[in-house]
Amino acid sequence: MARHRNVRTTQYSDDEYYDDDDYSNSFEDDCISPSDAIYLINHKPKFDSDQEFTDAKVNSCLQRVTEVLGFEIPKDVLTGHLIRNEFNIDKTVDQILNSKSGDTKGKEYQGTEDNSSRPTVVIASSSKNKDSIVVGFGNTSISGSKNKNLTATPKQTPFSTPICSPAATPRNRSPQSTRVGSPRTDRKLNSPKNTKVKDDSGLSTSHHKDQLYLIIIGHVDAGKSTLMGHLLYKLGHVQQRTIQKYEHESKKLGKQSFVYAWVLDETTEERNRGITMDVGHLKFETKTKDVTLLDAPGHKDFIPNMITGASQADATILVVDATKGEFETGFDSGGQTREHALLIRSLGITQLGVAINKMDTVFWSEERFEEIKSKLGLFLKQAGYKESDVTFVPCSGLSGENLATKANESLLTQWYNGPCLMDVIDSFKPPERPISKPLRLCISDVYKSLGSGYSIVGRIETGQMRVGDKVLVQPQGEIAQIKSIEIDDLPQPIGLAGDFISVGLAGYDAQTIYSGCVLCDPSFPVPITSILEARVIVFNVDFPIVRGHQIVLHYQSSSESAVVSRLLAELNKSTGEVMKKNPRMIKKNTHALVKIQLSRPICVEVYSDIRQLGRIMLRSGGTTIAAGLVTKVNFNK
Amino acid sequence: MKLVHKDIEKDGKGVVVLIPEEAEDMWQAYNIIREGDRIRASTIRKVQNESSTGSSTSHRVRTTLTVNVESVDFDTQACLLRLKGRNIEENEYVKMGAYHTIDLELNRKFTLMKEEWDSIDLGRIEMATDPTQTADVAAVIMQEGLAHICLISGSRTIVRAKIDQNIPRKRKGDIKQHEKGILKFFDLVMQAILRHIRFDIVKCTIIASPGFVKDQFYEYIIQEAVKNDNKTILENKSKFITAHASSGFKHSLKEVLTNPSIASKLEDTKALSELKVLENFYKILQSESTRAFYGISHVEKANEALAIETLLITDSLFRSQNIAERKRYVKLVDSVKESGGDVKIFSSMHVTGEQLSQITGVAAILRFPMPELEDDEEEDDDSDECISLPQS
Ligand SMILES: Nc1nc2c(ncn2[C@@H]2O[C@H](COP(=O)(O)OP(=O)(O)OP(=O)(O)O)[C@@H](O)[C@H]2O)c(=O)[nH]1
Ligand SMILES: [Mg+2]
């Protein structure tokens, strides 16, 4: 246990801490536990001096190895090989080509533990090189050069190499090899049809688009659904006929202004009331991205659903209503603008666009735009968003202005020359896909599928799964086999970290599965616990948190009733130092270490192990009182 | 509960005769009867008869026994109170010193003898015998996929049923499963209501949820009742009230009960005043923290300084089988009252009392700030087991 824990910590903190470094002085950094910080402080300098040296060497070898192999290999993998072979390129190439059968999942973890490769992980993942080593999807630089390779050396396509050969069975392929290029492409590799059209660069580029999950948030009636519905219509994803039908039907209900919202608000209740209740999903493409849109409900009572959606998202658009008085209502306490923005930030999402909507109601006033921008900007900065990560866009969801194309409205173009909403979405950075970590699929839904049995829906947070794989269902603690994988209703042989998928299970009664369960790697099971310790940031609450506070704990796509069973310490906001042990209460806007007792066991991870599963939110009386990171789950050891 | 007779001497020693009239009263009795008390009640005893041939037969007889109570057991769901002890008055069926277990029965009187009746016990009897204290209300606390059916009476709230059902989420182009899932869930909740709520007893039934679930559900049951000509529902239609709750977990009931429109329907002012006091405590803790303390040692220190304006304490602390500990709390209560403070004894079986129990069960609002207490570390019991989990 201790052994692989150790390895995990190395991997994760390396992979991810530096990523956070990008958003320095952000909320999230505050949240790194003191012990993590110590760990990182102790470890980083150790390699620092070597790093530059090794790095330079690796860089020079990288190109040559790539030329010989005819395909790119992730730098961290390559670095490992290079160091082991003392930078002998021939040996390295040999080893890579031979590694196909020997490498198993288990081995990879061991390998990382091995001393010689340890530093490499650090090097490869340091923020400096981040661009060239982003694991998995969407690294444009990798995909780009890969295409070049394809055309330059058509005979030496990736498809003929041992590692990526479609003939290689999924099981004995090294997990590392799947990091090559975009996993999207990788999926195609397994389909014989696609190998024939490999030279069609036009086609392959379209598959090289980065995948992005985008959540639309904001106060109730800010116009989120309308904005997105209209955007999709403009992009041709909604047929004219459908819109006409909606127009007709909504008129009958006296809700004609909701035509575009109906694209996303599909249930009878939602349409009758003109309110989004659960997250709506839709897909569209921008120049460089495949976007999955998650339209969150704005109503206070549906925040649990909004949290579920947000736990799947990589970036967000915050919609505010520019109408006089309306922006203020949403922004004041009691409105959802702040709570949504804080929740999103505490879920680790840092990329935010702000759509200042309904600009038609204020006659596209620049003054109003600037007023909202400055008020909101200040708040967002305090909330931990980096100023340069936030873009403000004036638009109108109802008239469709400045959504898919640059503005036409002369009142707007007089003073505005910035990006339209599509440009902002297109400019979001694709997320990292931690494919090489142990599998974690967080289940958010179970439904009856068309064919046989039930489908389990969720996002693969880390790792990967293939059809035929055995997975552990937690907290049930039972093994199931993956019968099928579907992404966007299309069957796929493999699902990778970052994918939102539907899976069919064999040999398991899916009806016992509920949202909040996790499918994981049987050799690295997700912990199950009914007690946890967490470092929390208390929001602007009306009542202080005292020992025994009854709460609803939100994690991933689920929630459970719980009690704050102990207040361990009040912490310094910036340093994380203990300011007071066993405080008798925790007041608003402070940081603290608390112990939480759940009314039934849940699946969570310590944040430093797998951060995707290490975030929690504490709600009580319908408002979010705190957000936190799990620091401890195992209490009997 | 009916008080038939009460005879208590100056030193606190005395006898009380009571008749429990409804299930609720068993709970009250449970709070009064402790180990070491003596109880006399009508009970059923199995008697062995040995015939001249040596074979033995047994039969049951009803007789009145007096036992010295050694253990008290209460079954919350069945409302059954069992008192076990040795017989202390010889009679024709049972020898002195023989063990017997008395199950208290409704509408049969029992006599309770204590060496010392204290203010808490006497207060409890007063409360239990006050007829205005009994107001039965049912509440359905729900959210999509989760519902708790609770019965609230004067002194406690019990969960009669919990429905936890997976509902498929809304998915692009397929909302049928979602809507079907909701209907199935509603059906389960409705069945549970029909099974657990006695409309002839409850004054009203609260349906509370976040969002529109409550309205949807209310529409659903009325529609179904009309369709199936369900008289029980139709005749009691006016007894349903909808209210907002932030979740379907049981502790959201607190919010429902504080809701003014609901509160006015519940004449039960006790639960309501408990809620107000608790809320006030939290408010002061936030705004003027040196005037609000919890935990026995802080509260006792505040009491020594005669600083307590309002004492909040849960009745579960008086159920302690540890005599010294119980005395400590009784002394605290008496002393606060003496110095003119207000004492609110919370029922640990209500959501508010449950919340108070979570923060050690004892708290106080002070007349003046006592910052010196802040630095005083609350004795850290380090026990997580003292945290009782909310019933769910
Ligand atoms: N004038 C004007 N009205 C708008 C605009 N965008 C949306 N609306 C109106 O605002 C109302 C609410 O729109 P929705 O799209 O349902 O708002 P929402 O943010 O999705 O609401 P929830 O999902 O319930 O939180 C509708 O009546 C829309 O017609 C706009 O740009 N201009
Ligand atoms: Mg909406």
Side-chain angles (χ1 to χ4, degrees):
Chain A
M1 186 68 195
R3 214 184 53 184
H4 85 256
R5 274 275 162 206
N6 191 2
V7 178
R8 283 211 219 169
T9 323
T10 328
Q11 282 189 332
Y12 305 153
S13 13
D14 292 337
D15 269 9
E16 318 221 315
Y17 180 76
Y18 292 107
D19 166 46
D20 278 351
D21 223 2
D22 266 6
Y23 313 111
S24 52
N25 73 28
S26 71
F27 173 99
E28 193 152 294
D29 288 354
D30 291 353
C31 283
I32 292 284
S33 76
S35 58
D36 289 343
I38 289 164
Y39 175 85
L40 291 158
I41 289 162
N42 289 344
H43 283 69
K44 200 185 163 192
K46 227 162 102 192
F47 305 122
D48 220 357
S49 51
D50 290 339
Q51 183 185 324
E52 274 162 35
F53 176 55
T54 323
D55 211 14
K57 269 188 170 175
V58 170
N59 274 334
S60 74
C61 296
L62 181 70
Q63 213 181 347
R64 285 169 62 196
V65 174
T66 310
E67 273 167 27
V68 178
L69 287 171
F71 63 97
E72 290 239 0
I73 181 158
K75 194 166 167 184
D76 50 349
V77 177
L78 179 63
T79 312
H81 287 296
L82 282 171
I83 289 177
R84 248 171 273 136
N85 298 314
E86 293 165 342
F87 295 94
N88 181 320
I89 290 173
D90 288 346
K91 259 193 187 171
T92 305
V93 170
D94 260 307
Q95 203 174 58
I96 291 172
L97 292 177
N98 291 333
S99 67
K100 57 151 191 187
S101 51
D103 264 346
T104 62
K105 257 191 198 168
K107 251 200 175 160
E108 197 214 347
Y109 300 121
Q110 278 168 16
T112 340
E113 196 185 24
D114 155 3
N115 259 344
S116 64
S117 61
R118 245 177 106 178
T120 69
V121 181
V122 174
I123 294 161
S125 312
S126 79
S127 55
K128 234 200 287 174
N129 304 318
K130 213 179 115 213
D131 273 351
S132 54
I133 51 88
V134 172
V135 172
F137 281 84
N139 184 321
T140 26
S141 80
I142 286 179
S143 325
S145 50
K146 188 170 179 178
N147 282 338
K148 262 179 243 145
N149 278 333
L150 283 180
T151 33
T153 50
K155 266 175 204 144
Q156 256 187 331
T157 63
F159 311 111
S160 58
T161 62
I163 291 179
C164 280
S165 157
T169 67
R171 246 8 209 141
N172 59 27
R173 267 185 8 181
S174 145
Q176 291 167 336
S177 67
T178 53
R179 294 183 181 189
V180 176
S182 147
R184 266 289 159 98
T185 328
D186 195 50
R187 259 198 289 278
K188 300 290 176 203
L189 298 187
N190 291 313
S191 133
K193 221 165 75 193
N194 272 287
T195 49
K196 295 203 180 86
V197 290
K198 63 202 169 211
D199 290 321
D200 184 338
S201 53
L203 189 114
S204 40
T205 6
S206 80
H207 289 291
H208 283 203
K209 283 196 176 176
D210 294 325
Q211 200 184 353
L212 185 82
Y213 286 82
L214 178 72
I215 183 148
I216 317 301
I217 57 167
H219 188 69
V220 63
D221 275 355
K224 299 175 291 295
S225 306
T226 304
L227 194 70
M228 290 304 132
H230 204 153
L231 178 68
L232 288 161
Y233 174 62
K234 291 220 155 185
L235 294 173
H237 287 273
V238 185
Q239 290 181 346
Q240 182 126 27
R241 226 183 33 225
T242 315
I243 288 290
Q244 272 164 2
K245 190 175 132 222
Y246 290 168
E247 223 160 47
H248 182 69
E249 287 171 12
S250 60
K251 207 174 195 168
K252 274 202 289 200
L253 282 171
K255 296 234 180 273
Q256 205 182 356
S257 67
F258 288 90
V259 257
Y260 294 113
W262 277 28
V263 173
L264 291 135
D265 296 348
E266 292 189 278
T267 69
T268 329
E269 280 291 310
E270 288 179 323
R271 289 185 177 178
N272 287 344
R273 298 184 194 271
I275 282 187
T276 307
M277 297 186 188
D278 201 355
V279 177
H281 289 241
L282 265 183
K283 289 198 65 106
F284 66 92
E285 286 180 27
T286 66
K287 266 185 246 122
T288 62
K289 310 230 159 43
D290 266 345
V291 182
T292 303
L293 187 83
L294 309 159
D295 175 48
H299 192 290
K300 193 176 159 74
D301 279 351
F302 303 119
I303 287 190
N305 293 340
M306 175 261 172
I307 294 175
T308 303
S311 67
Q312 295 153 10
D314 307 310
T316 189
I317 298 278
L318 171 64
V319 182
V320 295
D321 185 342
T323 314
K324 273 255 140 45
E326 290 300 327
F327 165 73
E328 286 74 13
T329 312
F331 190 57
D332 288 348
S333 65
Q336 264 57 69
T337 310
R338 287 170 199 256
E339 188 172 1
H340 274 193
L342 282 171
L343 277 171
I344 288 283
R345 188 61 193 81
S346 46
L347 279 163
I349 299 170
T350 54
Q351 305 188 76
L352 172 110
V354 180
I356 301 188
N357 190 32
K358 305 199 191 178
M359 282 297 286
D360 55 313
T361 64
V362 293
F363 309 103
W364 303 97
S365 152
E366 178 176 15
E367 205 183 315
R368 180 65 172 161
F369 178 79
E370 289 300 331
E371 182 194 351
I372 293 174
K373 184 175 165 182
S374 75
K375 278 188 189 162
L376 203 52
L378 186 68
F379 164 73
L380 291 173
K381 207 171 147 190
Q382 284 165 353
Y385 292 94
K386 214 170 139 193
E387 247 174 315
S388 58
D389 283 342
V390 180
T391 327
F392 292 84
V393 186
C395 59
S396 165
L398 204 58
S399 72
E401 198 60 38
N402 212 22
L403 301 185
T405 48
K406 275 214 179 308
N408 284 321
E409 171 64 53
S410 58
L411 286 172
L412 176 62
T413 48
Q414 271 170 25
W415 56 270
Y416 185 79
N417 187 23
C420 65
L421 197 61
M422 273 295 267
D423 298 336
V424 175
I425 296 172
D426 193 50
S427 69
F428 284 133
K429 289 191 280 285
E432 288 192 24
R433 307 291 180 188
I435 290 164
S436 56
K437 287 185 192 170
L439 171 70
R440 298 287 185 262
L441 175 119
C442 297
I443 295 161
S444 59
D445 194 9
V446 181
Y447 70 96
K448 218 165 167 182
S449 52
L450 281 178
S452 50
Y454 285 81
S455 283
I456 314 265
V457 180
R459 171 156 154 134
I460 304 183
E461 292 295 344
T462 55
Q464 51 185 300
M465 65 163 61
R466 290 158 200 272
V467 172
D469 275 3
K470 289 241 160 53
V471 294
L472 182 68
V473 185
Q474 292 279 63
Q476 287 83 344
E478 288 163 38
I479 297 283
Q481 195 173 24
I482 305 293
K483 195 169 65 183
S484 62
I485 297 178
E486 274 185 18
I487 302 176
D488 301 328
D489 296 328
L490 294 173
Q492 300 286 356
I494 178 175
L496 301 163
D499 286 340
F500 191 72
I501 68 175
S502 280
V503 286
L505 294 182
Y508 196 85
D509 178 12
Q511 268 182 290
T512 64
I513 296 180
Y514 49 93
S515 138
C517 294
V518 172
L519 301 186
C520 61
D521 185 336
S523 31
F524 300 97
V526 66
I528 309 170
T529 188
S530 54
I531 305 179
L532 58 90
E533 249 172 55
R535 201 185 144 171
V536 297
I537 298 175
V538 180
F539 289 4
N540 198 355
V541 288
D542 291 338
F543 297 130
I545 299 178
V546 294
R547 177 172 168 180
H549 206 106
Q550 291 169 328
I551 52 163
V552 178
L553 180 118
H554 290 256
Y555 63 102
Q556 289 304 318
S557 330
S558 196
S559 62
E560 194 51 61
S561 94
V563 168
V564 179
S565 58
R566 292 197 63 198
L567 309 178
L568 298 167
E570 190 181 322
L571 307 172
N572 182 299
K573 270 191 185 180
S574 41
T575 61
E577 268 168 50
V578 173
M579 303 217 302
K580 187 167 192 227
K581 269 197 164 175
N582 302 316
R584 63 188 191 99
M585 61 170 161
I586 316 167
K587 288 200 172 183
K588 59 181 168 187
N589 304 325
T590 51
H591 291 208
L593 197 63
V594 298
K595 204 169 191 177
I596 292 168
Q597 167 92 50
L598 290 130
S599 53
R600 71 173 168 190
I602 60 165
C603 302
V604 280
E605 294 265 2
V606 168
Y607 178 79
S608 54
D609 284 351
I610 294 194
R611 68 173 177 176
Q612 287 81 357
L613 276 79
R615 297 178 200 277
I616 54 169
M617 264 140 294
L618 281 49
R619 306 195 82 234
S620 136
T623 48
T624 307
I625 57 169
L629 304 178
V630 178
T631 52
K632 195 173 167 194
V633 291
N634 241 328
F635 287 85
N636 14 11
K637 275 160 220 165
Chain B
M1 190 110 80
K2 205 148 122 199
L3 180 63
V4 181
H5 175 75
K6 186 165 106 180
D7 182 12
I8 290 161
E9 290 165 33
K10 277 237 166 61
D11 61 354
K13 187 172 168 163
V15 181
V16 169
V17 182
L18 294 162
I19 302 177
E21 293 167 311
E22 49 184 352
E24 178 69 20
D25 292 339
M26 292 300 170
W27 163 252
Q28 304 285 16
Y30 170 58
N31 277 280
I32 304 169
I33 304 169
R34 275 182 303 283
E35 287 168 28
D37 294 347
R38 278 163 296 148
I39 188 149
R40 177 163 51 233
S42 163
T43 181
I44 290 174
R45 175 80 181 183
K46 210 155 99 185
V47 187
Q48 304 271 351
N49 274 6
E50 221 163 298
S51 69
S52 49
T53 58
S55 69
S56 72
T57 55
S58 75
H59 65 280
R60 288 159 198 279
V61 290
R62 182 167 279 284
T63 176
T64 298
L65 286 180
T66 309
V67 301
N68 199 345
V69 178
E70 288 180 21
S71 78
V72 183
D73 275 314
F74 183 65
D75 179 333
T76 350
Q77 287 297 323
C79 262
L80 200 68
L81 185 59
R82 323 193 75 183
L83 308 160
K84 184 180 171 193
R86 285 182 193 271
N87 183 26
I88 50 170
E89 268 176 39
E90 175 108 33
N91 80 0
E92 55 179 305
Y93 303 112
V94 189
K95 285 204 200 75
M96 274 294 271
Y99 272 106
H100 182 76
T101 302
I102 298 179
D103 286 356
L104 282 192
E105 290 170 63
L106 285 182
N107 300 317
R108 274 184 201 274
K109 72 172 184 194
F110 67 89
T111 308
L112 183 62
M113 290 153 273
K114 279 182 189 285
E115 286 306 308
E116 189 189 351
W117 286 87
D118 60 35
S119 58
I120 301 296
D121 291 327
L122 294 174
R124 188 95 199 177
I125 289 184
E126 208 166 290
M127 186 184 86
T129 51
D130 176 358
T132 61
Q133 290 284 350
T134 49
D136 277 346
V137 169
V140 184
I141 305 293
M142 62 200 298
Q143 69 188 34
E144 254 177 41
L146 179 68
H148 286 93
I149 295 180
C150 311
L151 286 182
I152 310 160
S153 62
S155 56
R156 55 197 204 115
T157 302
I158 40 175
V159 177
R160 294 319 300 261
K162 177 183 175 183
I163 294 101
D164 191 346
Q165 169 87 4
N166 177 56
I167 296 179
R169 287 177 178 273
K170 104 181 192 199
R171 292 181 328 118
K172 184 76 213 149
D174 178 12
I175 50 153
K176 276 212 200 79
Q177 287 200 29
H178 172 74
E179 296 189 338
K180 251 186 146 157
I182 298 241
L183 290 185
K184 189 166 166 216
F185 168 66
F186 281 175
D187 181 51
L188 287 172
V189 181
M190 182 167 171
Q191 295 314 321
I193 287 181
L194 289 171
R195 197 166 327 123
H196 294 289
I197 298 180
R198 286 185 53 192
F199 288 94
D200 52 334
I201 292 180
V202 301
K203 275 208 315 209
C204 69
T205 300
I206 305 167
I207 301 175
S209 82
F212 309 102
V213 180
K214 52 180 192 294
D215 311 301
Q216 248 178 297
F217 178 64
Y218 176 71
E219 272 166 41
Y220 174 84
I221 47 176
I222 298 301
Q223 262 174 29
E224 285 295 298
V226 170
K227 208 158 72 190
N228 305 319
D229 196 27
N230 183 326
K231 292 253 161 52
T232 328
I233 299 274
L234 293 176
E235 277 163 18
N236 291 290
K237 201 173 152 185
S238 60
K239 282 191 179 171
F240 287 97
I241 347 172
T242 53
H244 183 269
S246 67
S247 77
F249 293 107
K250 185 189 156 200
H251 66 236
S252 292
L253 195 56
K254 277 204 297 271
E255 301 156 26
V256 180
L257 298 178
T258 32
N259 179 334
S261 65
I262 297 293
S264 63
K265 292 241 159 89
L266 312 173
E267 285 150 33
D268 180 7
T269 45
K270 185 178 181 306
L272 203 64
S273 76
E274 283 177 8
L275 257 168
K276 289 230 172 86
V277 173
L278 190 64
E279 207 158 79
N280 199 21
F281 171 78
Y282 279 113
K283 252 184 221 152
I284 293 173
L285 194 59
Q286 172 87 318
S287 59
E288 214 183 325
S289 64
T290 51
R291 267 190 59 216
F293 287 90
Y294 65 96
I296 182 69
S297 76
H298 276 170
V299 171
E300 271 179 343
K301 280 191 191 114
N303 183 43
E304 275 161 33
L306 301 180
I308 298 184
E309 186 179 284
T310 313
L311 177 73
L312 300 79
I313 189 163
T314 55
D315 59 9
S316 58
L317 293 176
F318 305 114
R319 272 200 304 277
S320 169
Q321 296 300 344
N322 176 342
I323 305 286
E325 202 179 312
R326 182 186 148 88
K327 280 221 168 99
R328 184 179 180 184
Y329 291 113
V330 175
K331 213 175 109 203
L332 175 68
V333 169
D334 288 345
S335 152
V336 170
K337 276 185 185 157
E338 240 162 67
S339 59
D342 194 7
V343 177
K344 295 276 181 211
I345 299 177
F346 285 53
S347 166
S348 59
M349 293 295 284
H350 271 319
V351 267
T352 36
E354 221 168 64
Q355 170 77 80
L356 184 61
S357 303
Q358 296 288 349
I359 61 169
T360 72
V362 56
I365 300 171
L366 311 192
R367 298 175 216 266
F368 47 83
M370 289 186 71
E372 60 273 27
L373 285 185
E374 286 239 284
D375 312 320
D376 212 78
E377 286 253 323
E378 173 75 13
E379 58 200 60
D380 196 13
D381 36 296
D382 197 35
S383 55
D384 290 313
E385 51 280 6
C386 82
I387 305 286
S388 60
L389 269 181
Q391 268 191 336
S392 51

